[in-house]
Amino acid sequence: MNSENKTAESLIVTLPCTGWGQNEPANPQAVEALEQGKVLYLPNLAFMLSEEEKQLLDPSLVDVKRKNISFKPVEGTLTGITDSSKEPLLRGLLQRYYQHSLSLMNQLLPDYTTSLCHPTNSLRLHPVSAWRDKTSWRKDDSRLHVDAFPSRPNYGQRILRLFSNINPYGEPRSWRVGEDFRQLASRYLPQLDRFSPFSSWLQHKVGITKSPRSHYDHLMLQLHDKMKSDAEYQKNGLQIPFDFPSGSSWICFSDQTPHAAMSGQYILEQTFLLPVSGMKHPEQSPLKILESLTHETLV
Ligand SMILES: [Fe+2]
């Protein structure tokens, strides 16, 4: 593993946040670091579960056909649960996590307040080892990757994710965090397959994608796949290991920051999408970086 040129401090920025948006001073460093592809680490920001909610920390509650329990707070859609008697408790937990996340984002990243959209969140109850051992390499998130949605093209919108480690046994969530996106994309771009508008149209027509993949979505998915299938990169690419302790939270643009989940169990995750135009520095988005490298308009 090549970590000699990188230290945790250069990829991970620690912020002394203790509350979910209430009375926290704004920190201009947060948006700058985040848009450079760094992880914002909030070691003192725990998301607390009530005694009753702790009974939800049970992997058998997740539908065997799914990886996690998912919730769309605006639509009120809950998916992936096996026991409907637990539904009101789960809805309450996931709705509260969403409200806390929104409040935190508004305080910590005020530039994004009017632009964050399409919130979804998930309760991840399985240990990393459970899905790593029985999944294909493409779905194996213990391999370094940047996030790209295979069936839901997002046309350059940013994927902003907040995670909270709610492990009741004090186990950390162990990640690997990788290099700067421009460096990563410059290296892989010559290896990526060419975009075919016809195949994008066809994949939509037969229902593989919910809308036609743009050139941007094609490149991001290709990048995701090339990273995961590159054994040399996985072993020796620029990366650092980092443990997020139980009781901590962290935020990153997961479409920009190479990451891999190596171990841990019991996580809450909140996703927001953000239009590139809502960023403070749009030129740091994967869309603008890929457009500058390819000299093409990609969406
Ligand atoms: Fe990921």
Side-chain angles (χ1 to χ4, degrees):
M1 183 183 298
N2 180 357
S3 58
E4 62 195 35
N5 298 323
K6 287 281 175 193
T7 60
E9 292 76 35
S10 67
L11 298 177
I12 293 164
V13 170
T14 305
L15 298 176
C17 239
T18 53
W20 291 87
Q22 300 88 356
N23 306 318
E24 288 287 331
N27 187 334
Q29 191 197 359
V31 72
E32 299 294 335
L34 196 65
E35 293 193 359
Q36 288 162 15
K38 296 179 182 178
V39 176
L40 301 183
Y41 171 43
L42 314 168
N44 305 313
L45 192 64
F47 186 79
M48 306 304 286
L49 271 63
S50 68
E51 282 308 311
E52 194 185 14
E53 286 169 340
K54 284 178 186 167
Q55 63 179 273
L56 298 173
L57 300 181
D58 173 2
S60 72
L61 278 179
V62 187
D63 188 324
V64 288
K65 294 192 289 298
R66 294 187 175 265
K67 200 162 151 184
N68 306 305
I69 293 168
S70 306
F71 183 59
K72 290 186 177 175
V74 177
E75 298 86 344
T77 320
L78 184 71
T79 45
I81 178 173
T82 54
D83 180 353
S84 57
S85 72
K86 297 284 195 305
E87 198 174 312
L89 196 56
L90 256 171
R91 280 180 181 278
L93 171 67
L94 293 172
Q95 186 67 40
R96 193 171 87 255
Y97 188 60
Y98 163 62
Q99 292 297 343
H100 277 56
S101 303
L102 197 56
S103 171
L104 177 72
M105 294 297 178
N106 288 341
Q107 187 65 36
L108 198 61
L109 303 163
D111 298 83
Y112 299 166
T113 298
T114 56
S115 306
L116 291 179
C117 56
H118 299 296
T120 51
N121 64 21
S122 64
L123 177 60
R124 304 180 174 193
L125 296 173
H126 292 300
V128 166
S129 55
W131 45 258
R132 184 181 52 210
D133 299 343
K134 60 181 181 193
T135 196
S136 69
W137 63 265
R138 200 173 259 120
K139 289 183 178 169
D140 177 4
D141 289 339
S142 71
R143 298 177 187 224
L144 274 169
H145 65 283
V146 288
D147 287 347
F149 301 139
S151 63
R152 284 172 293 140
N154 68 6
Y155 308 102
Q157 286 198 317
R158 309 303 317 278
I159 306 172
L160 180 62
R161 287 191 150 154
L162 163 73
F163 302 87
S164 296
N165 184 349
I166 53 170
N167 189 294
Y169 311 110
E171 291 168 20
R173 186 72 157 189
S174 298
W175 268 27
R176 290 184 287 150
V177 178
E179 71 200 300
D180 171 72
F181 185 85
R182 179 177 286 276
Q183 198 175 305
L184 176 83
S186 307
R187 204 174 54 253
Y188 276 110
L189 211 44
Q191 303 174 37
L192 306 187
D193 295 345
R194 288 190 66 78
F195 174 58
S196 157
F198 173 72
S199 114
S200 162
W201 171 83
L202 191 63
Q203 284 175 328
H204 173 49
K205 202 75 188 160
V206 300
I208 293 173
T209 57
K210 291 197 167 60
S211 56
R213 249 178 226 155
S214 63
H215 194 167
Y216 169 80
D217 291 291
H218 165 79
L219 290 178
M220 288 300 285
L221 206 55
Q222 279 276 308
L223 180 59
H224 168 277
D225 289 358
K226 291 284 178 203
M227 291 168 79
K228 281 190 173 175
S229 62
D230 184 345
E232 169 64 21
Y233 168 68
Q234 291 297 326
K235 189 161 177 265
N236 295 318
L238 201 60
Q239 58 189 284
I240 54 150
F242 196 86
D243 282 355
F244 297 98
S246 174
S248 71
S249 299
W250 61 104
I251 304 170
C252 72
F253 276 120
S254 63
D255 53 351
Q256 175 177 6
T257 308
H259 59 283
M262 305 312 293
S263 67
Q265 186 175 11
Y266 305 117
I267 291 282
L268 277 165
E269 169 269 333
Q270 174 70 52
T271 299
F272 294 97
L273 296 186
L274 176 76
V276 169
S277 59
M279 294 175 66
K280 191 166 180 204
H281 304 290
E283 70 280 7
Q284 292 182 320
S285 65
L287 173 63
K288 297 297 179 192
I289 290 173
L290 288 171
E291 286 188 336
S292 79
L293 292 172
T294 57
H295 308 290
E296 285 187 67
T297 302
L298 299 177
V299 290

